[in-house]
Amino acid sequence: MKKLIISVLLLVMVIATGCSNNTAKKSNSESVDKFAIAVSTWIGYAPLYIAKEKGFFKKNGIEVDLMKMESVSDRRSSMAANRIQGFATTVDSHVVTAASDLPVVQVLALDDSYGGDGIVAKKEIRSLKDLVGKTVAVQTDGGASFFWFLYQLEQEGINYKDIKTQNMTAGDAGAAFVANKVDAAVTWEPWLSKAKETSFGSVLTSSDQTPGVIADTIGLRKDFVDKNPKAVKALVKSWYEALDYIETDHKDAISIMAKAMGQTSAELEESLKGVRFYDQEKNKEYFGTKEKPGKLMELTKLSSKLWSELKIIDKEPNTDELVDYSFIQ
């Protein structure tokens, strides 16, 4: 009888141990939230690869699949199909996403263009008001360059319709200006430098004069954010840690980012001159609070207004729902 009791106790202990192990495995697997974010090969997104390579995502309890998609429309359709849970792009592009009845929430600011974009113009054009009646090459079917151009015109009280525009991508616009085919162009490097090398051109304005306007944020599906607030918080924390790593081990950080962007370390260092990353302090300033919103909401609302007026979108989304202030604090 005694042996029987001991045998039964041992069996119970084995079963209990097995259940305990199974519970632990389940708990461990559930503690890691897996989701996917789409990015392009823009240097502003490069620190995300540091977070992945150095294990910051994993340490903070998430597993993030960084999917490269150069086209914003591809990123948007993939998020609509829930193949990805979010993507990085400019503020104005997230407005277009929301206007297409795909609820998106901006949860983190990544970077802004800080001298990497500009308007090049003939030397006799000395101000934005001098562009009235002139031919400007700019991508007029939406996008960051066009929004930035419209933003500057708005600040100066200039009617967009008073300017003759030619629809070109930023790269083609720069090339057209250097070939002396247009009066001005909204473009980026290396065309800013090439324009200054011509006998007739100069840089009229550059993005370091309008900080925070050409800015990238991560927008996530609203249903994902609502169900996974801890995962979103971990994503934000991992971004901050990646930026810290750039300061603590600059050489290794540059190497990781260069590999991800398909550049040499020297090329990436040069590219960094035209971009500014957003750490926690900059995020707090850029987001502000729900009671006192920062520049992010200002640009979100302006994007909605301008895109609606130009028929880029059919209807204005509820901009108050496009920003979540709770994760960057």
Side-chain angles (χ1 to χ4, degrees):
M1 186 68 179
K2 186 177 181 180
K3 288 182 179 180
L4 178 61
I5 293 173
I6 292 173
S7 297
V8 171
L9 288 173
L10 287 172
L11 180 61
V12 171
M13 289 174 66
V14 168
I15 293 172
T17 302
C19 290
S20 176
N21 287 339
N22 288 337
T23 302
K25 288 178 182 177
K26 184 178 180 182
S27 177
N28 287 339
S29 64
E30 288 181 346
S31 67
V32 178
D33 290 307
K34 298 180 181 180
F35 56 99
I37 294 173
V39 297
S40 65
T41 49
W42 161 241
I43 188 175
Y45 310 151
L48 290 169
Y49 289 92
I50 296 176
K52 190 173 184 67
E53 180 77 16
K54 304 310 294 186
F56 299 144
F57 287 146
K58 187 175 182 181
K59 176 179 70 69
N60 292 321
I62 55 176
E63 186 176 323
V64 183
D65 185 9
L66 299 175
M67 301 179 65
K68 285 185 179 177
M69 296 184 193
E70 299 302 333
S71 165
V72 174
S73 60
D74 286 346
R75 285 173 251 169
R76 189 173 290 126
S77 60
S78 291
M79 189 166 81
N82 208 20
R83 289 192 293 270
I84 60 173
Q85 285 62 60
F87 62 91
T89 189
T90 51
V91 174
D92 61 281
S93 291
H94 286 309
V95 170
V96 176
T97 299
S100 64
D101 293 325
L102 178 53
V104 60
V105 180
Q106 296 173 94
V107 298
L108 172 70
L110 303 178
D111 69 281
D112 70 10
S113 175
Y114 202 66
D117 293 78
I119 298 176
V120 293
K122 292 182 176 178
K123 289 181 177 178
E124 59 266 28
I125 297 173
R126 299 178 182 276
S127 70
L128 288 169
K129 290 182 179 178
D130 290 340
L131 292 175
V132 173
K134 301 295 193 298
T135 301
V136 180
V138 59
Q139 189 165 355
T140 58
D141 53 359
S145 294
F146 189 35
F147 174 70
W148 181 61
F149 182 52
L150 293 174
Y151 172 84
Q152 292 180 88
L153 297 183
E154 178 98 354
Q155 297 299 301
E156 293 292 325
I158 302 169
N159 191 330
Y160 165 70
K161 294 179 181 178
D162 291 335
I163 295 174
K164 300 174 184 176
T165 59
Q166 288 190 15
N167 185 20
M168 297 185 193
T169 64
D172 289 344
F177 178 78
V178 170
N180 205 10
K181 294 181 178 179
V182 292
D183 298 313
V186 184
T187 187
W188 49 40
E189 289 292 7
W191 298 106
L192 303 182
S193 297
K194 290 180 182 293
K196 288 188 285 187
E197 292 170 359
T198 66
S199 60
F200 56 85
S202 65
V203 176
L204 183 62
T205 65
S206 58
S207 55
D208 56 349
Q209 297 169 262
T210 56
V213 177
I214 306 179
D216 292 290
T217 63
I218 287 183
L220 299 173
R221 289 176 59 108
K222 189 176 186 305
D223 56 357
F224 177 81
V225 174
D226 290 343
K227 293 176 183 176
N228 302 277
K230 289 183 179 178
V232 180
K233 192 72 175 179
L235 173 66
V236 173
K237 183 180 179 184
S238 299
W239 170 262
Y240 294 154
E241 290 175 350
L243 296 188
D244 288 341
Y245 189 75
I246 296 174
E247 300 299 320
T248 58
D249 196 335
H250 188 76
K251 185 177 180 181
D252 187 43
I254 292 296
S255 177
I256 293 169
M257 292 191 292
K259 182 180 179 182
M261 296 295 106
Q263 297 181 321
T264 66
S265 291
E267 288 171 339
L268 189 117
E269 286 276 23
E270 185 64 27
S271 299
L272 283 175
K273 295 177 181 178
V275 70
R276 194 172 55 160
F277 295 127
Y278 277 37
D279 58 13
Q280 186 172 21
E281 184 179 344
K282 285 297 297 178
N283 262 280
K284 286 181 177 181
E285 176 188 339
Y286 195 59
F287 271 72
T289 63
K290 191 171 184 178
E291 295 72 29
K292 192 175 181 181
K295 198 173 186 73
L296 172 57
M297 181 54 76
E298 174 195 334
L299 294 174
T300 299
K301 288 183 180 295
L302 181 59
S303 298
S304 181
K305 171 179 172 287
L306 293 177
W307 286 162
S308 179
E309 289 175 353
L310 293 168
K311 308 301 180 185
I312 301 289
I313 57 177
D314 295 327
K315 60 181 180 180
E316 290 193 53
N318 184 345
T319 52
D320 290 332
E321 295 181 354
L322 264 72
V323 178
D324 192 317
Y325 303 88
S326 62
F327 298 106
I328 51 87
Q329 302 302 323

